[in-house]
Amino acid sequence: MKKDIRQMHLKTLSLYFLILVCGIGLGVTLIFCLYSIPLNSKQKQYFSLEVPSYSFEQRSGAYFITPQDTNKKDQSITTPTNIVVTNTSSKSTSVKEETTKEVSETPRPAASSVYLHSMTDEELFWRASMVPRIRKNPFKKVAKVAFMFLVRGRLPLSPLWARFFRGYKGFYSIYVHTQPYFVGEVAPEPMFQGRRIPSEVVTWGEISMVEAERRLLASALLDFSNERFLLLSEACIPLYNFSTIYPYLINSRKTFVECYDQEGAVGRGRYDHNMEPVVTLQQWRKGSQWFEVDRHLALEVICDKKYYPLFRDYCKPACYSDEHYIPTLLNIEFPLVNSDRTLTYVDWSKGGPHPYKFGKWEVTVSLLRKMQNGSECMYNGERTRICFLFARKFVPSSLFRLLELAPQVMHF
């Protein structure tokens, strides 16, 4: 009898032991399964990147950018009432929000490393110089703004630009010129994928800067929908939302190239008399490298065979061709179509060959407000305080502070 009881207890203990072993095995299996799931399956979001979708409404032959009702609280988009968008289409054009893609914490260096085209400079400029002689478009065309980024490698502020662009697919184009030896992702966001163009080495202060600008312009001219062409750097930020900047550029009757006559070593002192008689000292001009031009002037710049060779041969450090070539060209050939100002705010108050860099702790509401409203200028014959649409130089560490303040100050 006692023997039977002992055997029964042994069987019970064996059953409990088996259950314990199975439980441990199941727990270990679950742990390995959980660790195999990527940590970024649900991406962390420190700041909301959602913006409402937009549409164009026709009012008296013009189009206004207005936000659609999304039934969400605490959403405020400031749209200037005095800026309109002209469009040749008789129907309102809806702007669909871009499909957002989940970005891995360690993105694969694939799409953004792919070049937009494989043409040499000679073939590129030849193709870009072609102009349609029939004015009526055989397709429905929406004017686009070409955002041309002249950078060394990565775009450290790309999350801010991604938020700026989101919701406006079809109303902008992006072109990125990097150093040719750069390998990797320019930016992980979808709108930057595959937007690099074939490039050459760019050296600060040399004619290679102008060559890169012409290369960007020519690449953007291949798209007949591009009407305005804007040069930016990796340290630039937008000061307003897209619904403010887009109509400001599209409706402008003038281009935005800083152009002025300056005495002294850094102005007229850089002029070389070997440029005479094509370019005289009285025609010599200086201005910011960061320009905005329309399609007509973009074509003139890439097709120029008269002034560019002179700057290539005679404007060498300490003559910086990127500060003189386009301002001088416009002053001689097209003085009435230019506003003689830049759209990019830069702080030169500290002196030196480079502008001041804004770090993380210097990015404040008051600083951004000063950049937005700290000056007065002319726009289409009327005075306005919206003079600078962009600003630089912002270091990478300022990104999260900019993302934090963007909804409050820039309204995106």
Side-chain angles (χ1 to χ4, degrees):
M1 183 69 178
K2 292 182 179 180
K3 184 176 180 181
D4 293 337
I5 293 173
R6 284 198 298 269
Q7 289 179 351
M8 184 174 63
H9 285 314
L10 287 173
K11 289 180 180 180
T12 303
L13 289 173
S14 299
L15 179 61
Y16 287 160
F17 181 75
L18 181 61
I19 292 173
L20 177 64
V21 171
C22 291
I24 294 173
L26 180 61
V28 172
T29 303
L30 288 174
I31 289 173
F32 276 106
C33 290
L34 289 173
Y35 272 105
S36 66
I37 298 175
L39 292 177
N40 59 345
S41 59
K42 186 175 182 179
Q43 187 177 353
K44 294 182 180 179
Q45 292 187 353
Y46 295 97
F47 305 96
S48 174
L49 295 179
E50 295 182 359
V51 297
S53 58
Y54 293 80
S55 64
F56 286 135
E57 294 182 1
Q58 186 176 12
R59 306 177 196 167
S60 303
Y63 287 89
F64 291 76
I65 297 184
T66 55
Q68 295 178 348
D69 183 17
T70 55
N71 296 322
K72 292 184 179 181
K73 297 180 180 180
D74 300 327
Q75 280 189 332
S76 60
I77 300 295
T78 301
T79 305
T81 57
N82 62 333
I83 300 179
V84 299
V85 182
T86 56
N87 197 314
T88 57
S89 174
S90 60
K91 299 180 180 180
S92 61
T93 307
S94 297
V95 186
K96 296 183 179 180
E97 185 173 351
E98 287 185 355
T99 303
T100 57
K101 296 182 180 180
E102 187 172 317
V103 181
S104 172
E105 292 181 358
T106 54
R108 293 175 296 177
S112 68
S113 298
V114 177
Y115 288 122
L116 188 63
H117 59 79
S118 58
M119 289 182 282
T120 63
D121 282 358
E122 184 179 8
E123 183 181 0
L124 171 64
F125 282 75
W126 176 74
R127 287 181 178 270
S129 66
M130 297 180 180
V131 179
R133 298 182 64 184
I134 300 176
R135 293 184 177 275
K136 186 177 180 181
N137 296 316
F139 54 88
K140 188 175 181 179
K141 175 183 173 183
V142 176
K144 294 194 294 186
V145 176
F147 291 81
M148 307 179 301
F149 290 87
L150 178 56
V151 303
R152 297 178 180 85
R154 288 183 60 252
L155 281 168
L157 303 179
S158 64
L160 183 72
W161 283 103
R163 184 189 290 186
F164 168 79
F165 286 123
R166 181 173 293 178
Y168 296 98
K169 185 177 182 180
F171 290 84
Y172 67 87
S173 302
I174 294 176
Y175 303 87
V176 183
H177 187 294
T178 69
Q179 295 286 21
Y181 47 78
F182 171 74
V183 177
E185 283 281 312
V186 170
E189 289 77 17
M191 63 280 296
F192 291 102
Q193 301 302 301
R195 305 310 299 179
R196 289 178 66 180
I197 66 171
S199 59
E200 299 292 337
V201 174
V202 177
T203 304
W204 180 81
E206 296 187 1
I207 194 65
S208 57
M209 294 281 280
V210 174
E211 292 171 350
E213 294 170 4
R214 284 159 54 94
R215 203 172 289 122
L216 281 165
L217 285 170
S219 298
L221 283 166
L222 296 176
D223 186 342
F224 289 112
S225 297
N226 289 328
E227 294 291 340
R228 309 293 296 203
F229 302 78
L230 175 73
L231 184 66
L232 299 161
S233 75
E234 67 264 37
C236 287
I237 67 164
L239 290 175
Y240 297 91
N241 55 23
F242 195 95
S243 62
T244 300
I245 291 178
Y246 176 85
Y248 193 102
L249 299 179
I250 292 296
N251 290 327
S252 176
R253 296 195 292 267
K254 291 194 173 185
T255 59
F256 299 94
V257 178
E258 191 174 49
C259 183
Y260 57 91
D261 185 10
Q262 181 176 349
E263 301 283 351
V266 297
R268 289 196 174 194
R270 295 175 177 176
Y271 174 76
D272 191 322
H273 287 278
N274 287 313
M275 294 185 173
E276 293 179 335
V278 179
V279 178
T280 66
L281 180 61
Q282 289 70 32
Q283 296 170 324
W284 182 257
R285 292 295 184 269
K286 181 182 178 181
S288 170
Q289 173 189 7
W290 313 105
F291 62 79
E292 194 276 345
V293 296
D294 59 15
R295 190 170 188 90
H296 170 67
L297 288 183
L299 280 165
E300 293 294 334
V301 170
I302 70 158
C303 296
D304 173 36
K305 300 294 184 182
K306 182 178 181 181
Y307 303 101
Y308 174 72
L310 292 175
F311 280 83
R312 180 193 59 206
D313 296 338
Y314 301 115
C315 184
K316 299 180 180 180
C319 174
Y320 305 123
S321 53
D322 56 287
E323 295 181 359
H324 297 279
Y325 169 61
I326 295 181
T328 301
L329 170 64
L330 264 63
N331 178 59
I332 298 174
E333 298 291 343
F334 312 100
L336 300 179
V337 302
N338 187 38
S339 61
D340 296 336
R341 65 182 177 93
T342 179
L343 295 174
T344 304
Y345 178 96
V346 179
D347 184 1
W348 290 99
S349 62
K350 305 299 187 294
H354 300 285
Y356 184 73
K357 295 181 180 180
F358 298 100
K360 174 181 179 181
W361 304 112
E362 294 166 299
V363 178
T364 62
V365 172
S366 60
L367 173 69
L368 296 176
R369 295 289 188 201
K370 175 185 174 183
M371 293 176 175
Q372 289 178 330
N373 304 309
S375 59
E376 191 176 86
C377 57
M378 299 297 294
Y379 176 80
N380 285 350
E382 297 181 359
R383 292 195 174 276
T384 179
R385 298 196 70 86
I386 303 180
C387 301
F388 297 109
L389 303 184
F390 308 92
R392 66 188 302 268
K393 287 182 155 182
F394 287 84
V395 300
S397 63
S398 65
L399 173 61
F400 284 103
R401 184 64 176 157
L402 289 167
L403 288 171
E404 184 179 24
L405 295 179
Q408 176 185 354
V409 182
M410 289 91 93
H411 300 288
F412 64 82

